[in-house]
Amino acid sequence: MASFLLIPYGNPSRRDDGVAFHIARRLVERLGLEVRDPEEVPSYDVGDGLTIMGLHQLAPELAQDLAEADVVVFIDAHVPGAGWYDVHWEAIEGELRPSMVTHQLKPQSVLALCQALYQRTPSTYVLSVLGTDFDFGGQLSSQAQALVEPAVERLMALLDAHAQLGDAQ
């Protein structure tokens, strides 16, 4: 059975920038598990090969965690004008990509580090939800809140597809 690493990341104190954590908590609920403190950044060892590792930002040390997984999904928010769908899903490959600020890595850069350091490349995806309000606060905008469930559906479809693949083997 494939091992999954879901990495929701963002700033939960900047409204829609924390949408990934809402998605992770909703996924945990859909899987029939109890959501711990809804105010904390969610991290769960769900079992059956599924780990959710909530982070404020991506760091080089993540390369080792990626190397130990078969499938990785980075979950984040994007801004209007990015040219992406409201719920954007994309397979990515490793490449060093500059970011606007020096203390943040892009998912592609973490994957490139994984490849360089561990000679391993998990299947890696980005799931990004459109954010419209990045002001201070803990609540999502109504637009981002409406996109949580479709994002969870996308993750459930991925998990179901791999479960069916495992059953067929």
Side-chain angles (χ1 to χ4, degrees), residues 6 9 19 28-29 31-33 49 56 60 66 72 83 89 93 101 103 112 117 131 136 139 146 148 158 162 169:
L6 306 182
Y9 65 102
V19 70
V28 167
E29 289 174 349
L31 294 172
L33 301 171
H56 289 283
L66 268 64
V72 176
W89 178 260
E93 295 188 14
V101 291
H103 65 275
L117 296 171
F136 290 104
Q139 298 297 317
V148 169
L158 176 72
H162 278 275
Q169 293 177 348

Side-chain angles (χ1 to χ4, degrees), residues 31-84:
L31 294 172
L33 301 171
E34 183 180 338
V35 173
R36 295 189 297 265
D37 183 357
E39 299 302 315
E40 74 179 31
V41 174
S43 291
Y44 297 88
D45 184 1
V46 176
D48 294 328
L50 175 59
T51 301
I52 299 173
M53 181 188 300
L55 302 169
H56 289 283
Q57 65 187 25
L58 304 180
E61 298 80 26
L62 271 176
Q64 182 176 2
D65 296 301
L66 268 64
E68 296 170 3
D70 296 312
V71 180
V72 176
V73 181
F74 291 95
I75 307 168
D76 193 16
H78 64 273
V79 296
W84 288 358

Side-chain angles (χ1 to χ4, degrees), residues 3 5 7 53 55 57-72 74 94-96 105-124:
S3 63
L5 175 60
I7 304 172
M53 181 188 300
L55 302 169
Q57 65 187 25
L58 304 180
E61 298 80 26
L62 271 176
Q64 182 176 2
D65 296 301
L66 268 64
E68 296 170 3
D70 296 312
V71 180
V72 176
F74 291 95
E95 72 176 284
L96 294 176
L105 288 176
K106 300 284 186 189
Q108 294 87 342
S109 296
V110 178
L111 185 56
L113 286 171
C114 178
Q115 292 167 336
L117 296 171
Y118 301 100
Q119 293 74 52
R120 183 142 188 332
T121 307
S123 298
T124 307

